[in-house]
Amino acid sequence: MKLISNILIILVLFLTSLSAKAAEGEKINATGIVLEHVKDSHEWHITGEGDRAVVIHLPVIVYSSTGWHIFSSAQFAEEADSQGMRQGPYNLALGEAEPYSGKIVEKTGDEYKPVIDISITKTVANLFIDAFVLIFIIIYTSRWYRTHKATDPAPAGFRGLMEMLVMYIQEDIIRPSVGKGYEKYCPYLLSAFFFIFVCNLMGLIPFGGNVTGNIAITFFLALCTFIITQFSGNRHYWKDIFWPNVPGPVKVIMIPIEFVGIFTKPFALMIRLFANMLAGHAIALALTCIIFIVAATMSRGWLYGLGSFSVLLSIIMMLFELLVCFLQALVFTMLSATFIGLARTEPEEE
Amino acid sequence: MELLMPSFGLLFWMTLVFLIVLVIMWRFGFPAVSKMVLERKKFIDDSLQQAFEAKEKLAHIQEESEAILQKAREKQAEILNTAKATHDTIVAKAKDDAREEANKLIADAKAQIEAEKSAAIQDIRSQVAELSVHIAEKVIRKKLSDDSSQMQVIDNLLDEISVKK
């Protein structure tokens, strides 16, 4: 029931934010709305348009030629100038159009130069929230285990659920995939699983941003798996890459393929998670946009018909996304574990 | 394309956040959970094993007690038999003793009676003799008033005695 109420809330929020546009008979730019949601930005646009917009101005942290600057993104001009730049303090500007769209640049003379930007953007803010939730879950769950003995009755409720999940991931996913000595990989793989899972789920609830559907996040996670895999690789693993057990001429083909394979595996991990989560957000938003596109262009009958159909579809998609959230976290963990396991396999005695 | 380019700021924060999550997971996190679950599993397995052993032991004890009971019963029968035999012997011996004692008593009594009888006869005899002497004395005192008769009596007596001898 909670999920359905969440869906209703998100729909109502979009209704309020978009109905204004629809009523004015404006053409709805569905692509723009979807992209605005999934893309990172320095302002957290919650609801409303124009004067009624509810926006959280997030802090900007940049390092330019004049040193470190920390200020609110509200200090950038409301309107972009002719070059599509929103001018701000310290000669800095926020790009609204290409080639600097969404980027903070420094104006030196007539040229714009990139700066080191570690601002708390929308995604970073969401990342903090998700990490906070995750850390809370970890501490809340494990505290019970540190204050109880093994002879006590097993925990019930949320802790029981977490225990089931942890043991499922550890015993059914990590152990068979990694093989002997799997214990030392558990902290990373469990962290990755729960991090992805929590971020995915947080992305489903209203206001929750798109974190795992962001390439930087999946890039980092894939990089971790890549590094751990390479450091876990035994002699056999490296030999299989640089001197595979195939006839001479085939080696010429196999070696480059195997070498590229080192990188394609984590690359596939990165793209899979990113694309799945991004698509989930895009579909949820697109289905909601249908209502307003219909409302703006067609008669009332069509609106109610297609609108309710779209709501139904959204509910189904949301349930499906719930599955995808778990599945993608699971797939990432399982494949990471498999890659590590493959790098550690001992050659079979023949 | 912008969606596909990892931004530096996000990467920076992600690294920081994920490392914090990882450290927390490592230090305080779910290893504790799996450790506890494994411990609990061991505890349950041990308990099951113990219960099984206890059950077996119980069955064993029951068997043992049955055997002990059987043994006790046998012993009891044996003891009862022995007791009966002892009882019989004792009774027989007692009877024998009693008979012997009785015989002895009877014999003693007989001997005593005999002795008393002979003593009594002796006594009577002496009394009779005494009486006879008294009587004789009296008779003699009366009859010896004359000498002739006296002499006759003495002669008679002397005869008697000599005859007797």
Side-chain angles (χ1 to χ4, degrees), chain A residues 238-260:
Chain A
W238 293 110
K239 187 192 157 283
D240 252 12
I241 291 165
F242 293 112
W243 204 247
N245 194 13
V246 288
V250 188
K251 275 194 175 72
V252 180
I253 309 167
M254 282 306 286
I255 291 169
I257 290 176
E258 287 281 358
F259 187 72
V260 170

Side-chain angles (χ1 to χ4, degrees), chain A residues 329-348:
Chain A
L330 190 68
V331 164
F332 188 95
T333 313
M334 189 155 64
L335 286 178
S336 294
T338 309
F339 295 157
I340 294 169
L342 282 176
R344 297 173 77 250
T345 43
E346 292 297 330
E348 281 173 34

